[in-house]
């Protein structure tokens, strides 16, 4: 928040100067990325897309906790960092309760002491952001032992600020003295140290510390703004204390193009004016007079310039400047009135809902190009305040959530269309595929049964020789014929001759000898065929599994989503009116805050108008009076010059012929009443 030109600058809120950005609190030092999904979430966080980052990290953490063997997942390397990052991101999203619960869960878990200390620091920071310094101190007191290096300096800096909030300035001074030299906190430590010294009653030391800080120069606009603010605060303090000569250098150190330049120019002019040097006061005031006509310091300078001319008795110039100020005040009052009306018509909230607020760095200036938008120059101080920023971010986040829900509703409709298309494509194909699948399944079962029977026989032959199991088809047929012949011979022995018996026996011997002699070779060949059958079955099984997966994927692409989509749609449609209600409340607060600021500025300008009118009339009177005095003076000088040019009369003047004295000539400009008449003219 831009400071006011008052001694109360010392008690200004230090949060805006001291808080390290939350996104930077996430550890960026670990460049060895193990999990791509964690890296994608961190990328969203570094782009300030906190909502997306929180969703991604929460999803990763929940999936990680459901794993049977989480140590095998690459996310293990980032799990602790992810837990802390979720708390940081939720804090960035102003979800203090969620962030607190996440960090307290780490504190209650079985974690190393350095991790516990870092969790305690982050919990303390949450309480500090919530303006609960006592709770923040309690969390800091939970820190024991070694603090991780990446947060060590910030932890001590936070402790010092907590001490300052609690009024323990002496302890804060000791901590801040030790922190001097920390590069990441450069400038902030010295500023807070100077404030702490002033609050602790060590005026000389505090002013010396702040003076050294104010003498610094930096190409970084943020750091230079801190130095300018320090100089402005010290100059204002010394000016109000009457130390005019000491105050002047501080105002002179403020850069002319910085955010505090207008207030510095105004202060430098008042330093000279209070010292009675109105001609020197005009130098900074006339520079300020030509700047943006919506700035409060410029408005004051518009009255200060003619005031200084009046003190220098240049009343005509003062009157001209008062007239110029009246014109500007009138136009600005009209602009403010139009801005108030545009806010009441809802155009301000419409402008805030536009994407410029997130995508354009100087989005406040961009709002001025929107037709009917309010004059945002008058709202800069308001928009920089913590309260307004809180309301604004809440409103923008609610609007973002509302738009996301609308996009999700549209996405759900698109998903339903995709599912309908998939159903229409796959369902006509599935019956034909299922018939082929059943044929394939029967074939696989047949081959499996054959394989199992064949394997069982081979296992038996490895234990006991069974040559008949390895007989060929022709041999097996011959054996069956011989068995039938034997049966016939046994049934009708009268028909059997010795020659027939010998021939049957010879045939049986030939088959048995062939099976016995070729048994080992045939067993080896059978084992090879068994392996080939296993290979064929594996191929069929792969085709079977591929079909199962494909059919499941096809079925799962459109089956089972209806209830889920219906549930999500109901939840979104149920929450949208609530978001709209919350947006309306936040928007009303934003509009009312902006209207209050604009009405105060309008009332101030109307008061300036009244003062300028009276001062203008007084300047005209004084200018006329001064003109009359100068005109009288010129006439007197002219008369005196004419008197000096007239010839001197003789001692005995010549008498007229009739003896009467000559009449004395009276200058017409000295006739009775003539001077008064001219003066009245």
């Amino acid at each position: 928040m831009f400071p006011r030109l008052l001694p109360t600058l010392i008690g200004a809120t230090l949060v805006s100067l001291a808080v390290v950005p939350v996104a930077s609190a996430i550890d960026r030092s670990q460049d060895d990325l193990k999990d791509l999904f964690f890296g994608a979430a961190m990328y969203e966080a570094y782009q300030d897309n906190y909502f997306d980052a929180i969703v991604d990290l929460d999803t990763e953490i929940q999936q990680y906790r459901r794993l049977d063997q989480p140590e095998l997942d690459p996310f293990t390397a980032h799990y602790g960092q992810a837990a802390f990052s979720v708390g940081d991101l939720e804090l960035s999203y102003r979800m203090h309760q969620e962030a607190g619960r996440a960090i307290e869960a780490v504190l209650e878990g079985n974690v190393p002491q350095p991790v516990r200390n870092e969790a305690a620091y982050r919990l303390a920071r949450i309480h500090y952001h919530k303006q609960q310094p006592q709770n923040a101190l309690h969390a800091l007191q939970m820190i024991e032992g070694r603090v991780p290096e990446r947060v060590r300096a910030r932890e001590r800096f936070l402790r010092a600020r907590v001490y300052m909030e609690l009024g323990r300035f002496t302890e804060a001074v000791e901590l801040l003295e030790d922190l001097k030299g920390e590069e990441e906190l450069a400038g902030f430590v010295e500023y807070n140290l100077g404030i702490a010294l002033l609050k602790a009653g060590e005026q000389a030391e505090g002013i010396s510390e702040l003076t050294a800080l104010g003498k610094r120069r930096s190409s970084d606009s943020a750091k230079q703004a801190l130095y300018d603010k320090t100089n402005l605060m010290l100059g204002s303090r010394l000016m109000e204390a009457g130390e005019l000569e000491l105050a002047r250098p501080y105002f002179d150190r403020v850069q002319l193009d910085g955010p505090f330049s207008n207030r510095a120019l105004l202060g430098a002019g008042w330093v000279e004016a209070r010292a009675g040097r109105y001609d020197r006061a005009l130098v900074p005031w006339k520079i300020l007079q030509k700047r943006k006509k919506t700035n409060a310091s410029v408005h004051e300078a518009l009255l200060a310039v003619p005031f200084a001319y009046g003190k220098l008795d240049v009343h005509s110039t003062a009157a001209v400047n008062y007239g110029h100020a009246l014109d500007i005040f009138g136009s600005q009052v009209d602009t403010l009135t139009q801005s108030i009306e545009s806010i009441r018509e809802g155009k301000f909230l419409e402008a805030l809902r536009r994407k410029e607020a997130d995508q354009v760095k100087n989005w406040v200036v961009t709002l001025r190009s929107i037709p009917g938008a309010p004059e945002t120059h008058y709202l800069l101080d308001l928009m920089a305040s913590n309260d307004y920023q809180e309301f604004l971010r809440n409103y923008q986040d609610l609007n973002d959530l509302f738009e996301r829900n609308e996009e999700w509703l549209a996405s759900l409709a698109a998903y339903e269309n995709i599912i309908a298309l998939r159903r229409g494509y796959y369902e006509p194909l599935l019956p034909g595929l299922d018939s082929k699948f059943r044929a394939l399944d029967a074939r696989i079962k047949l081959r499996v049964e054959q394989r199992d029977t064949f394997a069982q026989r081979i296992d038996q032959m490895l234990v006991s020789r069974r040559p008949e199991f390895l007989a060929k088809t022709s041999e097996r047929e011959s054996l069956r014929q011989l068995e039938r012949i034997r049966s016939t011979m046994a049934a009708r022995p009268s028909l059997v001759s010795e020659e027939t018996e010998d021939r049957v026996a010879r045939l049986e011997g030939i088959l048995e000898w062939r099976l016995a002699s070729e048994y080992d070779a045939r067993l080896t060949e059978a084992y090879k065929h068994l392996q080939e059958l296993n290979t064929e079955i594996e191929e069929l099984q792969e085709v079977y599994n591929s079909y199962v997966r494909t059919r499941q994927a096809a079925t799962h692409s459109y089956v089972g989503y209806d209830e889920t989509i219906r549930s999500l749609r109901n939840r979104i449609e149920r929450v949208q009116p609530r978001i709209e209600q919350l947006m309306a409340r936040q928007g009303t607060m934003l509009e009312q805050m902006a209207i209050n600021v604009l009405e105060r500025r309008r009332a101030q300008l109307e008061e300036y108008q009244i003062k300028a009118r009276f001062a203008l009339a007084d300047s005209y009177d004084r200018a006329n009076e001064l003109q009359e005095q100068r005109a009288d003076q010129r006439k007197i000088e002219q008369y005196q010059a004419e008197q000096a040019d007239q010839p001197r009369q003789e001692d005995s003047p010549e008498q007229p012929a009739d003896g009467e004295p000559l009449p004395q000539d009276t200058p017409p400009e000295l006739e009775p009443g003539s001077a008064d008449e001219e003066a009245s003219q």
Side-chain angles (χ1 to χ4, degrees), residues 437-676:
F437 173 71
R438 284 190 293 270
L440 177 64
D441 186 50
R443 183 182 175 187
I444 291 175
K445 287 181 180 179
L446 177 61
R447 289 291 184 266
V448 170
E449 290 177 0
Q450 291 175 347
R451 191 272 311 273
D452 293 342
T453 302
F454 197 15
Q456 185 179 5
R457 288 185 177 183
I458 290 178
D459 291 340
Q460 292 176 359
M461 287 186 292
L462 291 175
V463 176
S464 61
R465 293 175 68 87
R466 299 292 299 272
E468 66 275 11
F469 286 171
L470 298 178
K472 298 179 181 179
T473 303
S474 59
E475 293 172 343
R476 193 176 295 111
E477 182 63 25
S478 298
L479 287 173
R480 282 195 293 268
Q481 288 180 359
L482 290 171
E483 289 176 358
R484 285 195 299 271
I485 292 173
R486 284 291 183 184
S487 299
T488 303
M489 291 171 64
R492 302 176 69 178
S494 58
L495 299 177
V496 180
S497 64
E498 183 176 355
E499 182 181 0
T500 301
E501 182 71 29
D502 291 340
R503 291 179 66 180
V504 171
R506 185 169 58 250
L507 290 174
E508 289 177 345
I510 292 173
L511 288 174
E512 290 178 0
W513 182 83
R514 183 183 296 174
L515 292 176
S517 61
E518 296 178 4
Y519 180 80
D520 293 336
R522 291 190 178 190
L523 181 62
T524 303
E525 190 70 19
Y527 187 78
K528 292 180 179 179
H529 289 320
L530 177 64
Q531 297 299 324
E532 293 175 356
L533 184 59
N534 286 333
T535 303
E536 181 181 356
I537 291 174
E538 289 176 357
E539 293 176 355
L540 292 175
Q541 192 66 41
E542 288 180 2
V543 174
Y544 177 88
N545 294 334
S546 175
Y547 173 82
V548 171
R549 289 193 299 269
T550 304
R551 194 186 192 288
Q552 288 179 346
T555 305
H556 291 168
S557 66
Y558 66 89
V559 175
Y561 294 99
D562 295 340
E563 184 60 33
T564 302
I565 291 177
R566 189 180 303 109
S567 174
L568 290 174
R569 176 178 283 108
N570 292 336
R571 290 176 59 186
I572 294 175
E573 291 177 347
R574 188 169 55 251
V575 79
Q576 286 296 77
R578 185 180 178 188
I579 294 177
E580 286 185 311
Q581 183 180 11
L582 293 174
M583 283 181 61
R585 293 178 181 176
Q586 295 288 326
T588 301
M589 292 296 298
L590 288 170
E591 288 179 333
Q592 193 57 47
M593 293 174 71
I595 288 174
N596 291 340
V597 169
L598 295 180
E599 286 181 341
R600 285 197 299 269
R601 294 297 299 273
R602 183 173 62 179
Q604 185 181 45
L605 287 176
E606 290 173 347
E607 182 181 353
Y608 284 171
Q609 278 183 310
I610 296 173
K611 292 181 178 179
R613 288 192 185 99
F614 281 107
L616 177 61
D618 183 67
S619 296
Y620 273 124
D621 291 341
R622 292 179 179 273
N624 289 333
E625 182 180 353
L626 186 60
Q627 275 188 331
E628 292 172 358
Q629 291 177 356
R630 290 175 178 173
D632 292 343
Q633 183 65 31
R634 285 196 298 271
K635 290 178 180 180
I636 293 174
E637 292 175 355
Q638 182 180 1
Y639 171 72
Q640 291 177 349
E642 291 177 353
Q643 287 294 102
D645 292 340
Q646 288 181 359
R648 296 184 62 182
Q649 298 287 341
E650 294 294 336
D651 292 340
S652 54
E654 201 178 280
Q655 297 294 327
D658 52 2
E660 294 181 1
L662 293 171
Q664 297 291 332
D665 293 332
T666 303
E669 57 268 31
L670 295 182
E671 291 180 354
S674 62
D676 295 337

Side-chain angles (χ1 to χ4, degrees), residues 46 93 172 266 368 475 608 649:
Y46 300 151
Y93 217 72
L266 184 62
R368 300 174 194 139
E475 293 172 343
Y608 284 171
Q649 298 287 341

Side-chain angles (χ1 to χ4, degrees), residues 187-291:
F188 300 108
V189 170
E190 290 79 1
Y191 184 87
N192 284 272
L193 176 59
I195 298 297
L197 287 169
L198 292 177
K199 292 290 187 179
E202 301 179 11
Q203 302 293 323
E205 293 81 357
I207 292 176
S208 176
E209 187 70 37
L210 292 173
T211 300
L213 177 64
K215 290 181 178 179
R216 297 183 185 179
R217 289 292 178 267
S218 175
S219 58
D220 186 353
S221 58
K223 289 185 177 181
Q224 187 58 50
L226 175 62
Y227 305 152
D228 290 345
K229 180 176 181 178
T230 303
N231 288 317
L232 179 63
M233 185 269 291
L234 286 175
S236 303
R237 175 186 175 88
L238 292 171
M239 181 179 68
E240 294 298 327
E243 301 289 343
L244 302 179
E245 296 301 324
L246 296 178
R248 184 186 299 107
Y250 294 103
F251 290 117
D252 293 340
R253 292 194 191 108
V254 179
Q255 289 190 342
L256 289 177
D257 56 352
F260 302 101
S261 59
N262 290 347
R263 300 179 189 274
L265 288 170
L266 184 62
W270 280 118
V271 166
E272 302 297 342
R274 292 189 180 187
R277 297 185 288 266
Y278 296 102
D279 53 339
R280 299 182 62 177
L282 282 171
V283 177
W285 282 348
K286 288 184 71 65
I287 296 175
L288 184 57
Q289 187 185 31
K290 299 176 182 178
R291 295 198 170 187

